[in-house]
Amino acid sequence: MIKKTVNNVQEAFSGVHDGMTFMLGGFGLSGIPENAISELVRLNLKDLTCISNNAGVDDFGLGLLLHKKQIKKMVSSYVGENAEFERQMLSGELDVELTPQGTLAAKCQAAQQGYPAIYTPAGYGTEVANGKETREFNGKMYVLEEAYKADFAFVKAWKGDEAGNLIFKGTARNFNPLMCGAATVTVVEVEELVKPGELDPNQIHIPGIFVQRIFEGKNYEKRIEQRTVRKK
Amino acid sequence: MALDKNGIAKRIAQEVQDGYYVNLGIGIPTLVANFVRDDINVEFQSENGILGMGPFPFEGEEDADLINAGKQTITALPGASFFDSAMSFGMIRGKHVDLTILGAMEVAENGDIANWKIPGKMVKGMGGAMDLVASAENIIVAMMHTNRAGESKLLKRCSLPLTGVGCVTKIVTELAVIEVTDKGFKLLERAPGVSVEEIKKATEGTLIVEGEIPEMKL
């Protein structure tokens, strides 16, 4: 077994510095790498490019980095839950690349799997396709979208073992598996880190080969963005 | 009388057929799930990674790891499945989802749709809307016929940045059910008590009226 464990988030962050491009998992606040985000805030890294489906809310998730103006460029599909984001974008302080959600997923997966680019119909005929190569297949138009290039991927999984094998939970899975192995270094935080052999190989979502560093995270808040319930 | 949001959702629910996998957008589309006949089998997909989405959880049973695309806490029904975002959009792009229902700011008579951006004012992003409209073959738009300023949202050409081109198949508003055809908007049904004249007045794009237009049955 090739061991991927590091002791803590500080060790996992070896080699992380200003100006880098990061991928961060999560959809809304579900499945975000909370420990990695806290560490990015603590280190006060600057001029970051962040690839993440959303940008958090004003006081949680990537919103914490936006608040401290640590992010130079954001690559996302939807940023509507964050007023500070919208303000920085409309004022031009923040560079933003809005990308269709399925395209964002595909560009991560392409990076993970060694495809330089993929064709997608999403965004054809819209401003998203401006300046991009388009091509017709079977009578329908597609846009060429290139794989992302990132320095670090920060991923959150539910359970993982020392070999870096991962299992995700519910809809907290989202972009997390697609970012594993899609950056030069993949750092995974898990709620529960177990010994090799404790996870059933049949149930593994991401094999450890896509992971360089894994640690058990601490103090998960797992904040709910829209608490909707019904009466018993 | 013009319909309210629930009325629009109720009418759209009639379009949902037995065996359909359905993706519901945020807003009025979400309400459609409340009105689907209970004698048919339908599965709702939420593009953040679930098929078989159920109702909101009981108080105290909310789970941060179980939300829909609107970031609301939900439940998973028996037979549900979870998957990553690439597989989710794979089932959309691969045309495995039978029906997509979403909101819009503008729809043009050629089926173009705009629903993600008002330049300089509102820039929230397209989320999954561009993927959905580019791939789905059966797209129903749920929206009000006019905006807050009273201007028509059914236009000859969209004025806002497009989400997708030539993709909308049907529109249900508080006034009418309209099909998008090669020749323009074709009026299929009127809301109860709403006249064809009222619908014409609220529609900027070409409105095709052929024969008697029946009232919606709700």
Side-chain angles (χ1 to χ4, degrees):
Chain A
M1 186 206 65
I2 302 170
K3 205 170 168 176
K4 303 294 172 70
T5 46
V6 291
N7 289 316
N8 49 44
V9 68
Q10 285 77 25
E11 239 175 76
F13 265 55
S14 170
V16 172
H17 56 73
D18 289 346
M20 280 187 156
T21 297
F22 300 143
M23 290 177 164
L24 298 106
F27 180 95
L29 300 178
S30 191
I32 58 172
E34 292 186 24
N35 282 227
I37 291 170
S38 299
E39 187 63 7
L40 289 171
V41 172
R42 193 186 70 82
L43 293 171
N44 200 25
L45 295 171
K46 299 284 188 193
D47 297 321
L48 305 176
T49 295
C50 293
I51 301 165
S52 183
N53 187 57
N54 308 91
V57 293
D58 282 326
D59 62 343
F60 199 59
L62 285 177
L64 298 168
L65 275 74
L66 284 165
H67 187 71
K68 290 179 71 189
K69 308 217 164 114
Q70 293 177 251
I71 302 177
K72 177 185 69 178
K73 181 178 177 181
M74 199 65 226
V75 180
S76 300
S77 87
Y78 189 80
V79 294
E81 331 289 356
N82 192 316
E84 173 65 11
F85 183 102
E86 211 164 356
R87 191 197 64 73
Q88 287 186 23
M89 174 165 61
L90 291 171
S91 72
E93 291 165 60
L94 180 69
D95 187 9
V96 178
E97 187 176 305
L98 288 170
T99 305
Q101 198 175 323
T103 303
L104 201 150
K107 285 163 72 100
C108 291
Q109 196 177 43
Q112 175 192 62
Q113 302 185 356
Y115 296 106
I118 51 101
Y119 279 104
T120 176
Y124 177 75
T126 77
E127 62 183 54
V128 164
N130 286 351
K132 290 174 187 162
E133 190 182 321
T134 58
R135 187 169 159 182
E136 187 184 321
F137 295 93
N138 304 317
K140 189 175 166 92
M141 293 304 294
Y142 294 81
V143 184
L144 188 72
E145 292 278 2
E146 289 184 28
Y148 289 125
K149 289 184 186 71
D151 299 298
F152 278 80
F154 296 112
V155 166
K156 157 79 195 308
W158 178 36
K159 289 181 183 178
D161 67 16
E162 292 175 352
N165 297 307
L166 306 177
I167 295 178
F168 301 88
K169 183 166 166 265
T171 54
R173 190 182 318 186
N174 55 66
F175 290 83
N176 281 300
L178 308 170
M179 292 176 171
C180 292
T184 308
V185 179
T186 297
V187 170
V188 181
E189 54 184 272
V190 293
E191 287 176 54
E192 197 183 338
L193 184 66
V194 300
K195 298 268 180 230
E198 287 187 35
L199 300 180
D200 177 355
N202 287 302
Q203 306 295 329
I204 302 290
H205 292 134
I206 284 289
I209 192 170
F210 293 113
V211 174
Q212 278 71 48
R213 302 170 190 172
I214 187 168
F215 66 97
E216 189 170 277
K218 286 182 191 156
N219 306 320
Y220 283 105
E221 180 180 335
K222 296 180 80 166
R223 194 186 288 189
I224 289 173
E225 217 165 320
Q226 305 276 346
R227 189 176 300 274
T228 45
V229 294
R230 63 190 152 133
K231 295 262 180 226
K232 269 193 185 165
Chain B
M1 212 183 77
L3 304 177
D4 61 7
K5 288 181 176 179
N6 278 310
I8 295 173
K10 207 169 170 182
R11 176 59 191 82
I12 292 176
Q14 296 172 6
E15 305 286 319
V16 179
Q17 294 177 23
D18 191 25
Y20 266 16
Y21 292 100
V22 182
N23 179 287
L24 300 177
I26 295 162
I28 302 174
T30 307
L31 302 172
V32 172
N34 301 334
F35 300 105
V36 173
R37 279 160 48 193
D38 51 16
D39 61 334
I40 61 173
N41 293 308
V42 173
E43 279 194 31
F44 291 104
Q45 194 246 23
S46 200
E47 64 268 24
N48 57 315
I50 176 172
L51 258 178
M53 177 170 49
F56 295 151
F58 290 121
E59 262 179 82
E61 293 176 8
E62 315 90 275
D63 180 354
D65 295 332
L66 188 41
I67 62 169
N68 64 16
K71 284 101 179 175
Q72 297 171 312
T73 46
I74 51 158
T75 52
L77 293 172
S81 56
F82 300 119
F83 34 85
D84 66 56
S85 303
M87 185 173 284
S88 180
F89 283 92
M91 57 185 78
I92 290 164
R93 204 181 299 112
K95 304 187 191 298
H96 306 287
V97 174
D98 300 288
L99 174 63
T100 292
I101 303 166
L102 76 175
M105 297 194 275
E106 295 177 346
V107 177
E109 62 186 44
N110 64 352
D112 289 357
I113 178 173
N115 72 352
W116 74 285
K117 184 178 182 182
I118 304 172
K121 272 191 201 160
M122 193 280 289
V123 191
K124 293 182 186 302
M126 68 291 281
M130 281 193 183
D131 305 272
L132 282 158
V133 300
S135 299
E137 284 176 335
N138 195 2
I139 299 173
I140 300 180
V141 166
M143 67 175 188
M144 303 309 279
H145 217 99
T146 53
N147 65 20
R148 282 188 194 137
E151 298 156 340
S152 181
K153 294 169 71 173
L154 286 87
L155 308 171
K156 287 191 186 306
R157 284 278 170 273
C158 290
S159 63
L160 294 169
L162 294 181
T163 309
V165 292
C167 52
V168 175
T169 49
K170 215 174 243 186
I171 306 160
V172 180
T173 73
E174 79 281 21
L175 303 179
V177 179
I178 285 167
E179 189 187 345
V180 180
T181 69
D182 294 344
K183 292 175 183 140
F185 297 122
K186 186 178 176 192
L187 183 58
L188 297 183
E189 295 173 26
R190 306 172 282 123
V194 172
S195 70
V196 170
E197 276 316 303
E198 284 172 77
I199 297 164
K200 265 189 188 163
K201 230 172 106 184
T203 308
E204 191 229 71
T206 311
L207 188 72
I208 302 162
V209 183
E210 286 174 0
E212 278 296 301
I213 304 300
E215 277 192 0
M216 298 180 201
K217 290 189 182 68
L218 294 167

